[in-house]
Amino acid sequence: MKYIKILVIALLILQSCAQKSKKSAANVGGNDFKIEFGKVAKKSVFSEEGMSIWGGSLVKGEDNLYHMFYSRWPKAPGWIWVSHSEIAHAVSDSPFGPFKFKDVALKVRGAEYWDGLCTHNPTVHKFNGKYYLYYMGNTGDLKIDGTPEKEQLNWVHRNNQRIGVAVADSPSGPWKRFDKPVVDVSKDDNAHDALVTSNPSVCQTPEGKYLIVYKGVGKKYPLPNGGPVVHCVAIADSPTGPFVKREKLAFEIKGERFPAEDPYIWFQDGKYRAIVKRIKEIDKKRVFSLVQYESKDGFDWVPSKYHEISERIVQWEDGRVQQFTHLERPQVFFENGKAVALLCAADTIVNKVRQSFNIQIPLIIKKEQL
């Protein structure tokens, strides 16, 4: 009789566990995220004297310091990011700063290299004990077109943009770079990314693979601009590739030639999620905002229920509200599995000259269960 009671109790426990497991399975992918900004501290703005700063991606090291990788270039000649940017490294005791410049992570290494003259728009990750720094690199003629008051793109450098990855055992380096891009342009002139690959965003899938979403520029429209500008998706078994490209595009809006830019992707609560820079054409002007997308498989992306995040607006701790000219290159920082900060490139225009910096914004994510 004693053994029968024990058996009954065991069966009841197993049944209860099965019901809980079934309930958890039913809730996988069942959360809608509403993403809001907290108030920003003055110390959460990073700038450097004499330098233009753009973007910023954050990882925590074994030294318990927070390591930020960002783009910078000399301010005096103008907005010359496409030809003169380098990826630098700053550290802090907090994900919200203040950050202090430490060194240049990816230095100029010569025009003969595919990424020898310019490195830009980093995104950093730690996978399986190693650090991976994904970025855009290019080479060209170093010609400065335009002035500080009148920005102009160097199309040689722009059209040489490719995606690279550098690998290190520590966020302090040294970083191993490669002689070839990790995602090159497609050889087919009709491909979505036949002209340019740039601005990578990478995450590890639940199956242990590596998903990348990146900006591609095609050759459908006349050069040097080319276009349309789209977002391509690829997947690999290793953080260093090879990445197998898929035909399906992300964040596509029919009838628009450049609808989005600068995605940051991650997987959480059963869904792939993305914060993306939305580009709208209103009265012949480009208007930017940050929006949210989601996907069940990482390939088919749709606008989230709470699609709109911010119209480039932040609130400071003193209560002041500010709308920036740009608030983009969103990079989410996670600590203990929780998204705690959003790093963005921000700028203002002073006397027709762009003043740019990185800003670290506290994140408030509210989960709404279906």
Side-chain angles (χ1 to χ4, degrees), residues 32 73 90:
D32 287 316
W73 59 92

Side-chain angles (χ1 to χ4, degrees), residues 53-229:
I53 303 297
W54 202 246
S57 185
L58 193 60
V59 69
K60 190 174 184 180
E62 298 298 326
D63 54 7
N64 285 323
L65 292 176
Y66 298 86
H67 297 257
M68 181 169 69
F69 297 87
Y70 61 98
S71 306
R72 72 173 198 170
W73 59 92
K75 184 186 294 185
W79 198 244
I80 54 174
W81 66 270
V82 76
S83 54
H84 289 73
S85 175
E86 63 184 6
I87 293 175
H89 171 213
V91 295
S92 174
D93 293 323
S94 163
F96 298 103
F99 281 89
K100 184 178 180 180
F101 168 78
K102 186 176 181 182
D103 54 40
V104 177
L106 302 184
K107 298 179 180 179
V108 170
R109 58 175 181 162
E112 68 273 22
Y113 292 95
W114 70 270
D115 63 345
L117 297 181
C118 174
T119 55
H120 190 66
N121 281 355
T123 183
V124 65
H125 292 274
K126 185 179 182 181
F127 296 133
N128 305 320
K130 286 187 177 291
Y131 296 87
Y132 295 86
L133 184 59
Y134 298 87
Y135 61 98
M136 177 280 284
N138 70 44
T139 186
D141 56 15
L142 288 179
K143 182 180 177 182
I144 296 176
D145 296 317
T147 64
E149 296 83 10
K150 188 176 181 181
E151 298 172 5
Q152 192 170 334
L153 203 60
N154 180 315
W155 290 101
V156 173
H157 281 266
R158 187 267 199 173
N159 290 340
N160 280 332
Q161 291 180 4
R162 306 291 185 265
I163 294 170
V165 62
V167 186
D169 293 323
S170 162
S172 294
W175 292 95
K176 178 186 175 183
R177 293 160 74 172
F178 297 89
D179 291 337
K180 294 182 179 180
V182 70
V183 181
D184 206 340
V185 294
S186 295
K187 294 180 180 179
D188 181 0
D189 279 350
N190 295 314
H192 299 299
D193 60 352
L195 184 62
V196 163
T197 62
S198 184
N199 297 5
S201 183
V202 180
C203 78
Q204 191 170 22
T205 74
E207 298 79 24
K209 293 181 182 291
Y210 299 89
L211 182 75
I212 185 168
V213 177
Y214 63 95
K215 183 168 81 172
V217 182
K219 294 181 177 179
K220 180 179 178 180
Y221 300 111
L223 296 178
N225 305 57
V229 180

Side-chain angles (χ1 to χ4, degrees), residues 119-344:
T119 55
H120 190 66
N121 281 355
T123 183
V124 65
H125 292 274
K126 185 179 182 181
F127 296 133
N128 305 320
K130 286 187 177 291
Y131 296 87
Y132 295 86
L133 184 59
Y134 298 87
Y135 61 98
M136 177 280 284
N138 70 44
T139 186
D141 56 15
L142 288 179
K143 182 180 177 182
I144 296 176
D145 296 317
T147 64
E149 296 83 10
K150 188 176 181 181
E151 298 172 5
Q152 192 170 334
L153 203 60
N154 180 315
W155 290 101
V156 173
H157 281 266
R158 187 267 199 173
N159 290 340
N160 280 332
Q161 291 180 4
R162 306 291 185 265
I163 294 170
V165 62
V167 186
D169 293 323
S170 162
S172 294
W175 292 95
K176 178 186 175 183
R177 293 160 74 172
F178 297 89
D179 291 337
K180 294 182 179 180
V182 70
V183 181
D184 206 340
V185 294
S186 295
K187 294 180 180 179
D188 181 0
D189 279 350
N190 295 314
H192 299 299
D193 60 352
L195 184 62
V196 163
T197 62
S198 184
N199 297 5
S201 183
V202 180
C203 78
Q204 191 170 22
T205 74
E207 298 79 24
K209 293 181 182 291
Y210 299 89
L211 182 75
I212 185 168
V213 177
Y214 63 95
K215 183 168 81 172
V217 182
K219 294 181 177 179
K220 180 179 178 180
Y221 300 111
L223 296 178
N225 305 57
V229 180
V230 299
H231 282 87
C232 306
V233 185
I235 196 161
D237 293 326
S238 163
T240 56
F243 282 92
V244 179
K245 299 177 182 180
R246 301 293 184 95
E247 185 64 26
K248 181 73 175 178
L249 297 177
F251 323 127
E252 189 177 17
I253 298 177
K254 290 185 178 180
E256 297 191 24
R257 289 171 53 170
F258 193 173
E261 195 176 28
D262 294 339
Y264 182 90
I265 64 169
W266 76 99
F267 185 87
Q268 188 176 358
D269 289 12
K271 290 181 183 179
Y272 293 91
R273 305 175 189 273
I275 298 178
V276 182
K277 171 188 170 184
R278 173 75 170 105
I279 305 173
K280 295 179 182 177
E281 193 84 20
I282 300 176
D283 296 329
K284 296 184 179 181
K285 292 184 179 180
R286 297 170 74 196
V287 179
F288 311 120
S289 63
L290 293 178
V291 299
Q292 182 186 184
Y293 280 84
E294 62 185 46
S295 172
K296 292 180 180 179
D297 58 9
F299 304 111
D300 187 16
W301 291 86
V302 296
S304 302
K305 177 180 178 181
Y306 298 103
H307 184 56
E308 302 290 339
I309 298 175
S310 175
E311 297 283 346
R312 315 181 314 282
I313 296 170
V314 302
Q315 185 174 16
W316 300 96
E317 282 188 339
D318 62 8
R320 182 170 56 95
V321 175
Q322 183 173 1
Q323 184 174 47
F324 292 106
T325 305
H326 296 83
L327 188 67
E328 51 195 67
R329 289 297 305 157
Q331 297 281 302
V332 181
F333 174 70
F334 295 85
E335 191 150 42
N336 300 321
K338 182 181 178 182
V340 298
L342 185 71
L343 283 76
C344 285

